[in-house]
């Protein structure tokens, strides 16, 4: 699965990650995500491996697409879900010879996809991306976003809260 943008987009992809894990529990799920979201990687449910790439931060450039191509090609994936409509992202997946490439409909570059999901203009990206799961045979759809920062972060947040509230 490839998500570009930042922290928000990565969190919006968690319903899709959770749905994929529930519908294909034995599948190896790799998430290529923006480097800006690297702090989240340990708490994302469903991903066996998270690979933060600076190339996916913000808008994808041609050199960034080459980096995504390299990561996809190196992994020899059977399928990739592209969370976004970037023509460069679609081209990278196509040139990486990933046999199944699913992503939202839209634009001429959608011809590079083997499977296209419905995408309304006013849709939240999480809803659009969640509709990609059935394209790979996953019928369960877990809509809520989930992120677990881990025990240390929860403990630190509780400590900070009590310090700011006067320890009450």
């Amino acid at each position: 699965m490839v998500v570009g943008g930042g922290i928000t987009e990565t969190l919006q992809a968690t319903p899709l990650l959770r749905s994929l894990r529930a519908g294909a529990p034995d599948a190896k799920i790799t998430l290529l995500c923006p480097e800006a979201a690297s702090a989240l990687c340990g708490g994302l449910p469903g991903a066996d491996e998270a690979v933060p790439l600076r190339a996916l931060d913000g808008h994808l450039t041609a050199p960034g697409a080459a980096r995504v191509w390299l990561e996809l090609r190196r992994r020899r994936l059977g399928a990739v879900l592209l969370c976004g409509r970037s023509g460069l992202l679609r081209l990278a997946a196509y040139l990486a010879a990933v046999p199944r490439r699913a992503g939202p409909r839209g634009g001429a570059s959608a011809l590079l996809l083997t499977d296209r999901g419905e995408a309304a203009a006013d849709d939240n990206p999480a809803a659009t991306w969640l509709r990609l799961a059935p394209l790979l045979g996953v019928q369960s759809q877990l809509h809520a976003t989930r992120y677990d920062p881990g025990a240390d972060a929860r403990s630190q947040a509780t400590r900070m809260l009590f310090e700011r509230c006067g320890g009450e």
Side-chain angles (χ1 to χ4, degrees), residues 2-163:
V2 182
V3 178
I7 292 172
T8 301
E9 290 78 7
T10 303
L11 286 172
Q12 288 176 320
T14 62
L16 178 56
L17 276 171
R18 291 177 58 238
S19 296
L20 292 172
R21 176 56 59 217
D26 297 328
K28 178 168 174 28
I29 300 174
T30 300
L31 171 67
L32 301 184
C33 66
E35 190 174 78
S38 63
L40 302 176
C41 290
L44 294 174
D48 296 306
E49 175 187 25
V51 181
L53 297 175
R54 181 174 296 136
L56 290 169
D57 286 338
H59 295 288
L60 191 63
T61 63
R67 176 74 174 142
V68 171
W69 168 83
L70 180 65
E71 291 297 329
L72 293 173
R73 186 74 179 157
R74 178 181 298 161
R75 284 173 171 72
R76 304 277 185 201
L77 304 172
V80 65
L81 294 172
L82 302 173
C83 296
R85 296 182 184 160
S86 164
L88 287 172
L89 186 59
R90 292 169 173 178
L91 182 61
Y94 177 80
L95 293 175
V98 178
R100 290 199 66 190
R101 301 170 304 281
R105 289 185 194 279
S109 64
L111 294 172
L112 299 172
L113 301 172
T114 58
D115 302 280
R116 296 163 203 78
E118 293 302 320
D122 59 342
D123 252 355
N124 177 303
T128 298
W129 300 340
L130 195 54
R131 284 195 290 274
L132 299 178
L135 299 176
L136 296 182
V138 174
Q139 299 308 315
S140 62
Q141 292 192 1
L142 305 172
H143 292 271
T145 57
R146 292 280 190 271
Y147 172 70
D148 181 0
D152 290 341
R154 283 192 303 276
S155 175
Q156 182 180 3
T158 301
R159 190 172 43 257
M160 290 171 64
L161 181 63
F162 278 112
E163 288 171 2

